[in-house]
Amino acid sequence: MDEARRGGRRRPGLKLLLFLHASLFLNVFFFCYLVLSRHQPPPGWARSAARDAEAVAAIDCSGHGRAFLAGGGLPACECNACYSGDDCSRLLLDCPADADSEDPLFLEPYWQQHASTSSIVSPGWQCMSSQTIGGDFNSAELDRHVRLLHKAAENAITDGKFILFGSEVAELLHALVHALSADNASSSPACLVASAPHNPFGRRQHECIGIRSNYVKGSVSPATKIIEYVTSPNDPDGLLQQSVLGASAVIHDHAYFWPHYSSIPAPADEDIMLFTISKISGHAGIRLWWAVIKDQKTYQKAAEYMSLNTMVVSCDVQLRVLKLIRVVIAEMGKGGGIFEFGYKTLKTRWSKLHKLVSSSNRFSIQPLLPRYCNYFKRIRDPSPAYAWLKCETEEDKDCYSVLKTSGITSRSGTLFEANSHYTRLSLVKTEDDFDLLTMRMEALLSKELIASS
């Protein structure tokens, strides 16, 4: 009996013990959930942002602009040049054709076709630190994908070389000139020289490091180090260039050395090469350049200069560029890649403009011939970013003014250190811009035809 009573008392004690353990476990679980949930986003937090983005992208702005979220949170249309109105439906007939801008908006339709793969949703807490994993300021994944892109496009050799990132070409040029001048015993700055015609940004941004366009041997002190700046393909004429001055160091700007702008006879393999994302993908609003550097000491000196000057490229920019490059690589070889799309667009525009100008005795544009392209594995027709237009008659001494009078805004040849008989026409803006350019050119050439008859 006593043993039975003792056994009977054990059962309530066991149940109570199990209850206490369960209660303790549940309290700990809910406590942890409450604490941790304060630091975790609610499920589906990205859906709202994605819905807003899709709603804005669905607004077509009459096909003459793009929608964006205004400051008040309401979508608004940003119209192409010469179009206005809330929905960009009104054409401004007296508006000049913009053939000056370098923004590669001709690639905008490509990214609209790849909206799902190229879009990125960034949480508000991303990029809180200026450093990446490992303590570096630049993403190792971005470095790796840049190398993969060059290998896939077959336009540059990066194996065994170093990559230095910067927001602007000016930053990289200053760093590179500093690095290349470090061993110069002279106290005078290095002289950065370029052969005309060349992009006007050099004269505007690099006077402080002694850039010259009219360098003649013996025109500077023998102690001054000469650094040649070669742009290939060249801006403004699209010609592939080589070093011609015999300088002790050469910086090659290959911003346009991609299959949609130029033939790629062979991968570039110079000691210092410059590239930018804006010409590859068309995103001129994303500022990212990089230098591919062969010599380790030059790279280290330039990187040190950059760390003291600008320190870091924006984390948001690095993430966006990484996403774009991944899409470009993934779509290559499928027939609908960005290089194929861009090449077809620019080839069509160049052919149309070339046909127009060829019928004139008053104007001419640079002669470009079909060339073999290592990327396409065939001979390709020209597809330059710009037309280098020349006014052939002596009366038209200022070609820029001749076009401006006819409603075309171009970029004067004098800005490229060239003769005023030349001016540059941009072919890389929107289809609206190119259509208006050809319409204005047709009107100008018609006047010439009437005057000669």
Side-chain angles (χ1 to χ4, degrees), residues 4 7 31 49 88 139 154 172 182 192-193 224 228 243 277 344 357 360 385 404 433:
F31 175 78
C88 303
S139 165
E154 302 186 53
L172 289 174
L192 188 66
V193 300
T224 301
E228 185 176 3
S243 172
I277 188 63
K344 290 177 182 177
V357 176
S360 167
K404 186 176 182 180
D433 291 299

Side-chain angles (χ1 to χ4, degrees), residues 96-322:
D98 179 11
D100 176 36
S101 174
E102 299 178 345
D103 291 347
L105 292 171
F106 77 103
L107 292 172
E108 186 177 53
Y110 175 84
W111 294 109
Q112 291 172 338
Q113 295 168 15
H114 295 80
S116 61
T117 56
S118 63
S119 299
I120 182 171
V121 177
S122 298
W125 59 91
Q126 196 164 36
C127 295
M128 298 293 289
S129 173
S130 62
Q131 295 183 336
T132 61
I133 297 174
D136 197 0
F137 291 116
N138 294 315
S139 165
E141 272 297 287
L142 178 59
D143 182 290
R144 188 173 74 87
H145 276 78
V146 164
R147 295 175 189 273
L148 290 173
L149 177 61
H150 282 298
K151 186 174 182 179
E154 302 186 53
N155 72 328
I157 295 174
T158 61
D159 295 343
K161 297 179 181 179
F162 305 89
I163 294 182
L164 180 64
F165 293 99
S167 297
E168 297 289 347
V169 66
E171 298 172 358
L172 289 174
L173 278 177
H174 278 268
L176 289 167
V177 169
H178 168 79
L180 294 169
S181 306
D183 296 330
N184 188 14
S186 171
S187 58
S188 61
C191 185
L192 188 66
V193 300
S195 299
H198 68 86
N199 191 291
F201 81 86
R203 186 175 66 177
R204 290 201 306 265
Q205 297 193 31
H206 308 300
E207 288 178 346
C208 56
I209 54 175
I211 190 167
R212 294 179 175 220
S213 303
N214 56 347
Y215 168 74
V216 178
K217 189 173 183 180
S219 63
V220 297
S221 168
T224 301
K225 185 166 186 175
I226 303 301
I227 302 173
E228 185 176 3
Y229 185 67
V230 178
T231 305
S232 182
N234 192 36
D235 175 8
D237 54 26
L239 299 176
L240 296 176
Q241 305 276 64
Q242 297 290 333
S243 172
V244 295
L245 300 179
S248 57
V250 183
I251 299 174
H252 291 82
D253 184 337
H254 289 311
Y256 292 96
F257 195 53
W258 296 94
H260 36 6
Y261 302 107
S262 169
S263 61
I264 311 294
D269 192 22
E270 293 93 5
D271 290 349
I272 301 176
M273 302 178 286
L274 296 175
F275 299 91
T276 174
I277 188 63
S278 65
K279 307 309 178 189
I280 303 167
S281 69
H283 291 81
I286 301 178
R287 309 308 300 167
L288 183 72
W289 282 74
W290 61 88
V292 180
I293 305 170
K294 183 177 181 179
D295 181 66
Q296 184 175 9
K297 289 184 179 179
T298 302
Y299 165 76
Q300 290 173 339
K301 291 172 183 175
E304 181 183 10
Y305 183 94
M306 291 287 288
S307 68
L308 297 174
N309 183 18
T310 55
M311 188 174 75
V312 61
V313 174
S314 163
C315 167
D316 289 312
V317 167
Q318 293 187 55
L319 290 173
R320 184 81 188 281
V321 171
L322 178 58

